[in-house]
Amino acid sequence: MTATDFKKELKEIKENLKGLTLQLVTNNGYRPYFNLKDFGTAILNEESKGNDFRINQIWTIGGTRSVKSIKNLAELIKTETVTAIQFESFYNYKTTEGFIKSFGALD
C-alpha cells in the first residue's frame, strides 16, 4: 500500500499498537521499534525515499499469522494476543520498464 494510505490506516489503530514490538524491514535489513514515535520517524524516512509498505507477519501467543490489510490486522489484535508485527518498506516500480531497469545492464 502507498505510504499515505499506510500512515492513515495506522493512525486508526494506533491505540492497539501501543506496547507491541513493531519491526520494519528495509533494503538495509530490519530493526525493531518499541514505541510509536520512533516507528513513525522510520516510516517518514522510508516515505521520503518513495517507498510503499506491506504487512509481513504478526507474532501471536499461538504462533505467526499473516494478514493482507490493516483492517484485518485490527481484527486479529482484538481476537488474539499479538506480541509483535513486522512491516516491510519497499520500492514499488510504477512501470514494467522501471522494474526491468532495476536489474542493471544486461551483458
Side-chain angles (χ1 to χ4, degrees), residues 10-18 36:
L10 278 183
K11 281 182 184 179
E12 293 175 9
I13 66 164
K14 73 178 182 180
E15 291 301 316
N16 296 330
L17 299 177
K18 288 183 179 179
L36 293 176

Side-chain angles (χ1 to χ4, degrees), residues 36-52:
L36 293 176
K37 182 178 180 184
D38 292 343
F39 183 70
T41 302
I43 295 298
L44 292 175
N45 183 39
E46 291 300 307
E47 179 184 27
S48 71
K49 299 174 187 175
N51 290 347
D52 290 340

Side-chain angles (χ1 to χ4, degrees), residues 45-60:
N45 183 39
E46 291 300 307
E47 179 184 27
S48 71
K49 299 174 187 175
N51 290 347
D52 290 340
F53 298 89
R54 67 175 148 236
I55 304 167
N56 276 353
Q57 60 184 333
I58 298 104
W59 286 278
T60 69

Side-chain angles (χ1 to χ4, degrees), residues 2 93 95 101:
T2 66
Y93 291 93
T95 65
K101 286 180 183 179

Side-chain angles (χ1 to χ4, degrees), residues 2 7 21 29-30 32 44 57-58 61 63 71 79 84 88-89 93 106:
T2 66
K7 291 186 310 183
T21 299
Y30 61 91
L44 292 175
Q57 60 184 333
I58 298 104
I61 297 295
K71 291 181 194 239
T79 60
E88 182 178 4
S89 167
Y93 291 93
L106 299 175

Side-chain angles (χ1 to χ4, degrees), residues 40-102:
T41 302
I43 295 298
L44 292 175
N45 183 39
E46 291 300 307
E47 179 184 27
S48 71
K49 299 174 187 175
N51 290 347
D52 290 340
F53 298 89
R54 67 175 148 236
I55 304 167
N56 276 353
Q57 60 184 333
I58 298 104
W59 286 278
T60 69
I61 297 295
T64 58
R65 302 280 189 261
S66 177
V67 297
K68 297 293 182 190
S69 71
I70 300 289
K71 291 181 194 239
N72 294 122
L73 174 61
E75 291 172 13
L76 183 66
I77 290 171
K78 290 176 184 174
T79 60
E80 293 197 38
T81 304
V82 173
T83 58
I85 306 166
Q86 183 184 70
F87 298 96
E88 182 178 4
S89 167
F90 64 98
Y91 188 79
N92 191 10
Y93 291 93
K94 308 303 181 222
T95 65
T96 303
E97 293 82 10
F99 178 69
I100 292 170
K101 286 180 183 179
S102 72

